Amino acid sequence: NGTVLSPLEFRDNLALHFSYLPSNLPKLCDGCGEAFSVAHAMACKKGGLVHQRHDGYAGEFGCFLEAGLTPSAVRNEPTIKTGCARAGGEGSKEDDAAEL
């Protein structure tokens, strides 16, 4: 239900609550490559936080809809993971040959 936090998430949220910077912030954004900050993390359209927030809201909204409608009338969209292809990585010709 989105209320369970890992120890690291708990410490980061506690630091933000008391206006401290969380420890071990990355130097660069993993989505766009710009300098990383808390404000950038909340606003970047290419990083993972925007998608995580959207998925969290969509899941909660789906629970409300299931309570008001029949559960068969509500379905969650599948999560689509994006990433770049790497030589010899997942989806490569070597993997296809290994599966045969």
Side-chain angles (χ1 to χ4, degrees), residues 38-62:
V38 174
H40 179 83
M42 300 307 247
C44 181
K45 299 296 184 198
K46 295 182 181 179
L49 290 177
V50 172
H51 298 287
Q52 289 175 4
R53 286 194 312 259
H54 171 267
D55 293 345
Y57 289 129
E60 290 297 319
F61 191 64

Side-chain angles (χ1 to χ4, degrees), residues 14-40:
L14 195 61
L16 289 171
H17 180 77
F18 289 106
S19 299
Y20 291 106
L21 285 178
S23 60
N24 300 324
L25 284 179
K27 302 276 186 229
L28 299 175
C29 176
D30 64 346
C32 66
E34 292 190 25
F36 192 82
S37 68
V38 174
H40 179 83

